[in-house]
Amino acid sequence: MPASYAATDDTSRGRQFSEPRPTHRSEYQRDRDRIIHCAAFRRLEYKTQVFVNHEGDLYRTRLTHSIEVAQIGRTVARALGLNEDLTEAISLAHDLGHTPFGHAGQDALNECMRDYGGFEHNLQSLRVVDVLEERYAEFPGLNLTFETREGILKHCAIAKARELGDIGRRFLDKTQPSLEAQLANVADEIAYNNHDVDDGLRAELITIEQLREVRLFAEQYDAVVRRYPDLPERRAIHETVRRMIGRVVTDLIEETGRRIAEAGARTIEDVRRQRVSLVAYSEPVKEQTLELKRFLRANLYAHERVRGVTDSSVGILKELFHAFLRDPALMPGQYQAKIREAGRDAATRARIVADYVAGMTDRYAQREHAKLTGELPVG
Ligand code: MG
């Protein structure tokens, strides 16, 4: 039974283009299904999370990351009586707007777009589902429900929020999105904090000794080694990471349940009226999570081997962007048509190029770049 504060089909603010209700599915199931069937979702398989695709087959990609987010999100949603379908839909869609080459890619494209309104992957995810996917006869984009779109737009600058209408409203009013949206946001963080520990150790960019300075890791690792002193290291790491996830997920469920009760939130509108997020860790776990994040930023994301690969990719993206902007004929026909439609409007032209570049997978961008520099034959 869903809790009274969960999102439901009946309380949904609906779709931009009205459609008959689905016959055998809920509205949010339909959203989830549309996301899974879209091209941007399939491209996540070849987009960098932290490790560039060709570095190895075992590292997380944006696709496996998104699936892990959905798994954690659904577990918490079920435990709290929230809408699992909505949580899953938001989780699977949250990174659809990501550029190739991870955060370095997003920074590069943002720099290219500096004079044209900038580039932000979160806004781009919304743009993918609202406009860029062209699959349905009756409407542009995927025509998702307000609640899924609200969840995709995690954060937003005030100036942008004004342009976005109803979906940007909460950033102006300083109100909250649904609990499912709040949850997908935290599930994202739980997924990457933990899988980056695993991937970082696998790549030998960080060590267990270093990680033992991080309380969240040390507590679980020490317990594992104490109980299973002969466990091979790789297995001890997996056992530790699974316990770390268990630790924060349990805390999240308990603390969120407590906060919902304390706030007296009985409906989704009660949730939206809150000044602060109700989906939250307890103070001690929040502190420990921040400590882990700081560790990963200093030791993994800033590691010269990660930086080296992603920095060289930055050059690729910038060169592609400027080449396409100068000569749109280098882009596929559908983008050339959009450029013709844009006429002399420089910002719109740049946005079309950014859409094309952002949509690329890592390897597609590398191939296009090789064609541009003559290392690969065109065609
Ligand atoms: Mg993510």
Side-chain angles (χ1 to χ4, degrees):
M1 257 305 272
S4 64
Y5 43 72
T8 64
D9 284 9
D10 291 335
T11 55
S12 172
R13 293 186 180 176
R15 300 173 190 276
Q16 286 178 298
F17 300 86
S18 76
E19 291 183 62
R21 280 210 172 176
T23 338
H24 304 294
R25 298 175 288 178
S26 72
E27 296 284 5
Y28 303 123
Q29 264 182 292
R30 172 148 75 183
D31 281 2
R32 190 266 325 272
D33 297 349
R34 285 182 181 178
I35 291 158
I36 285 180
H37 287 280
C38 82
F41 183 72
R42 289 192 296 281
R43 292 201 192 105
L44 294 176
E45 183 174 1
Y46 298 104
K47 288 191 174 195
T48 292
Q49 179 68 25
V50 172
F51 295 88
V52 176
N53 205 261
H54 63 250
E55 289 188 279
D57 292 344
L58 281 175
Y59 298 113
R60 269 71 174 186
T61 66
R62 287 231 173 257
L63 181 65
T64 63
H65 161 69
S66 301
I67 294 170
E68 289 185 31
V69 175
Q71 179 273 311
I72 291 166
R74 286 188 59 160
T75 300
V76 178
R78 192 176 300 187
L80 290 169
L82 301 182
N83 193 309
E84 276 183 69
D85 297 328
L86 175 58
T87 308
E88 187 181 14
I90 298 168
S91 301
L92 293 177
H94 85 283
D95 270 352
L96 288 178
H98 243 295
T99 60
F101 309 123
H103 281 278
Q106 121 112 19
D107 293 346
L109 204 50
N110 188 30
E111 227 179 288
C112 294
M113 288 294 288
R114 195 186 297 144
D115 297 336
Y116 311 108
F119 179 89
E120 207 277 310
H121 70 87
N122 200 222
L123 275 170
Q124 190 70 6
S125 294
L126 189 66
R127 193 166 155 74
V128 166
V129 300
D130 279 357
V131 190
L132 296 179
E133 284 288 330
E134 296 175 334
R135 317 181 59 80
Y136 299 95
E138 302 266 330
F139 43 78
L142 305 180
N143 196 33
L144 302 180
T145 59
F146 178 89
E147 289 72 26
T148 301
R149 297 171 60 239
E150 166 189 67
I152 291 172
L153 192 65
K154 274 193 280 200
H155 34 74
C156 184
I158 294 298
K160 277 276 180 234
R162 285 205 187 90
E163 291 169 23
L164 288 172
D166 60 354
I167 206 79
R169 191 78 243 154
R170 75 178 165 95
F171 299 98
L172 306 174
D173 296 347
K174 307 224 179 318
T175 55
Q176 305 302 313
S178 72
L179 291 167
E180 289 81 356
Q182 297 177 30
L183 168 56
N185 192 8
V186 182
D188 181 24
E189 182 186 289
I190 295 175
Y192 67 67
N193 277 341
N194 288 286
H195 66 48
D196 289 350
V197 166
D198 184 45
D199 279 353
L201 285 168
R202 182 190 309 282
E204 296 177 352
L205 298 181
I206 51 178
T207 63
I208 290 176
E209 285 61 47
Q210 283 177 305
L211 270 163
R212 293 193 63 205
E213 291 160 26
V214 179
R215 279 169 296 170
L216 206 50
F217 181 90
E219 273 173 23
Q220 307 304 330
Y221 182 75
D222 292 347
V224 170
V225 174
R226 226 177 298 125
R227 173 119 191 243
Y228 309 100
D230 301 325
L231 206 60
E233 189 174 276
R234 197 63 238 167
R235 240 171 114 176
I237 292 168
H238 286 310
E239 182 63 32
T240 302
V241 172
R242 87 173 255 264
R243 288 175 182 222
M244 286 167 69
I245 296 174
R247 168 89 175 93
V248 292
V249 163
T250 305
D251 180 82
L252 184 69
I253 292 167
E254 289 170 1
E255 179 66 16
T256 302
R258 203 183 60 73
R259 287 191 185 208
I260 292 170
E262 199 178 87
R266 300 196 20 225
T267 66
I268 186 169
E269 293 308 322
D270 291 343
V271 169
R272 286 187 165 127
R273 269 193 291 275
Q274 302 297 314
R275 289 278 151 188
V276 291
S277 174
L278 293 178
V279 177
Y281 306 118
S282 66
E283 266 316 308
V285 167
K286 182 180 165 195
E287 216 358 84
Q288 292 191 12
T289 305
L290 287 174
E291 184 186 50
L292 174 59
K293 271 184 140 155
R294 279 194 297 272
F295 173 87
L296 289 170
R297 210 175 304 131
N299 298 288
L300 181 63
Y301 310 140
H303 194 287
E304 57 180 20
R305 243 180 71 204
V306 171
R307 291 285 289 271
V309 179
T310 44
D311 283 355
S312 70
S313 321
V314 163
I316 293 183
L317 280 201
K318 286 186 178 170
E319 282 172 43
L320 284 175
F321 177 87
H322 293 297
F324 296 143
L325 195 60
R326 252 191 331 266
D327 183 5
L330 293 169
M331 293 192 291
Q334 82 228 56
Y335 289 94
Q336 294 181 38
K338 286 182 186 180
I339 291 273
R340 274 196 297 279
E341 220 176 285
R344 303 176 75 82
D345 180 348
T348 306
R349 292 170 75 97
R351 184 64 56 192
I352 294 162
V353 173
D355 287 340
Y356 178 46
V357 174
M360 292 179 175
T361 61
D362 293 3
R363 58 187 194 173
Y364 184 83
Q366 282 161 338
R367 223 160 35 219
E368 285 305 293
H369 186 257
K371 282 188 206 166
L372 207 65
T373 54
E375 289 160 47
L376 249 189
V378 178

Coordinates of all heavy atoms in Angstrom, one line a residue, residues 49 62 65-66 69 91 94-95 98 121 154 188-189 192, ligand 1:
Q49 N 31.3 7.5 -16.7 CA 30.9 8.0 -15.4 C 32.1 8.6 -14.8 O 32.2 9.9 -14.6 CB 30.4 6.7 -14.6 CG 30.0 7.1 -13.2 CD 28.7 7.9 -13.1 OE1 27.9 7.9 -14.0 NE2 28.6 8.7 -12.0
R62 N 27.7 5.3 -17.4 CA 26.5 6.1 -17.0 C 25.2 5.2 -17.0 O 24.3 5.4 -16.2 CB 26.2 7.2 -17.9 CG 27.2 8.3 -17.7 CD 26.6 9.7 -17.5 NE 27.7 10.5 -17.1 CZ 27.9 10.9 -15.9 NH1 27.1 10.7 -14.9 NH2 29.0 11.7 -15.6
H65 N 25.5 2.9 -13.8 CA 25.3 3.9 -12.7 C 23.8 4.2 -12.5 O 23.3 4.1 -11.4 CB 26.1 5.2 -13.0 CG 25.6 6.3 -12.1 ND1 25.8 6.4 -10.8 CD2 24.9 7.5 -12.5 CE1 25.2 7.5 -10.3 NE2 24.7 8.2 -11.3
S66 N 23.1 4.5 -13.6 CA 21.7 4.8 -13.6 C 20.9 3.7 -13.0 O 19.9 3.8 -12.3 CB 21.2 5.3 -14.9 OG 21.9 6.4 -15.4
V69 N 21.4 3.5 -9.3 CA 20.6 4.5 -8.7 C 19.1 4.1 -8.6 O 18.5 4.2 -7.5 CB 20.6 5.9 -9.5 CG1 19.7 6.9 -8.9 CG2 22.1 6.4 -9.6
S91 N 15.2 8.1 -11.6 CA 16.6 7.6 -11.5 C 17.1 7.2 -12.8 O 18.3 7.5 -13.1 CB 16.6 6.3 -10.6 OG 16.0 6.6 -9.3
H94 N 17.9 10.5 -14.9 CA 18.6 11.7 -14.3 C 19.9 12.1 -15.0 O 20.3 13.2 -15.0 CB 18.9 11.4 -12.8 CG 20.1 10.7 -12.5 ND1 20.2 9.3 -12.7 CD2 21.3 11.1 -12.1 CE1 21.4 8.9 -12.3 NE2 22.1 10.0 -12.0
D95 N 20.5 11.2 -15.7 CA 21.8 11.5 -16.4 C 21.7 11.5 -17.9 O 22.7 11.5 -18.6 CB 22.9 10.5 -16.0 CG 23.6 11.0 -14.7 OD1 23.4 12.1 -14.3 OD2 24.4 10.2 -14.2
H98 N 23.8 14.0 -19.9 CA 25.2 14.1 -19.7 C 26.0 14.0 -21.0 O 25.7 13.3 -21.9 CB 25.7 13.0 -18.7 CG 26.3 13.6 -17.5 ND1 27.4 14.4 -17.5 CD2 25.9 13.5 -16.2 CE1 27.7 14.7 -16.2 NE2 26.8 14.3 -15.4
H121 N 24.3 19.9 -17.4 CA 23.7 18.5 -17.8 C 22.3 18.2 -17.2 O 21.6 17.5 -17.8 CB 24.7 17.4 -17.4 CG 24.8 17.2 -15.9 ND1 24.0 16.4 -15.2 CD2 25.7 17.7 -15.0 CE1 24.3 16.4 -13.9 NE2 25.3 17.2 -13.8
K154 N 17.0 18.6 -10.9 CA 17.4 18.6 -9.5 C 17.7 20.0 -9.0 O 17.4 20.3 -7.9 CB 18.7 17.8 -9.4 CG 18.4 16.3 -9.2 CD 19.7 15.6 -8.8 CE 20.6 15.4 -10.0 NZ 21.6 14.3 -9.7
D188 N 21.3 8.8 -6.1 CA 22.3 9.1 -7.0 C 23.7 9.2 -6.3 O 24.7 8.5 -6.6 CB 22.0 10.4 -7.8 CG 23.0 10.8 -8.8 OD1 23.8 9.9 -9.3 OD2 23.1 12.0 -9.1
E189 N 23.6 9.9 -5.2 CA 24.8 10.2 -4.4 C 25.3 8.9 -3.7 O 26.5 8.6 -3.7 CB 24.4 11.2 -3.4 CG 25.6 11.6 -2.5 CD 25.0 12.6 -1.4 OE1 24.6 13.7 -1.7 OE2 24.9 12.1 -0.2
Y192 N 27.0 6.7 -6.5 CA 28.3 7.0 -7.0 C 29.4 7.0 -5.9 O 30.5 6.6 -6.1 CB 28.3 8.3 -7.9 CG 28.0 9.6 -7.2 CD1 28.8 10.2 -6.3 CD2 26.9 10.3 -7.6 CE1 28.5 11.4 -5.7 CE2 26.6 11.6 -7.1 CZ 27.4 12.1 -6.2 OH 27.1 13.3 -5.6
Ligands
MG1 MG 24.2 10.4 -11.6

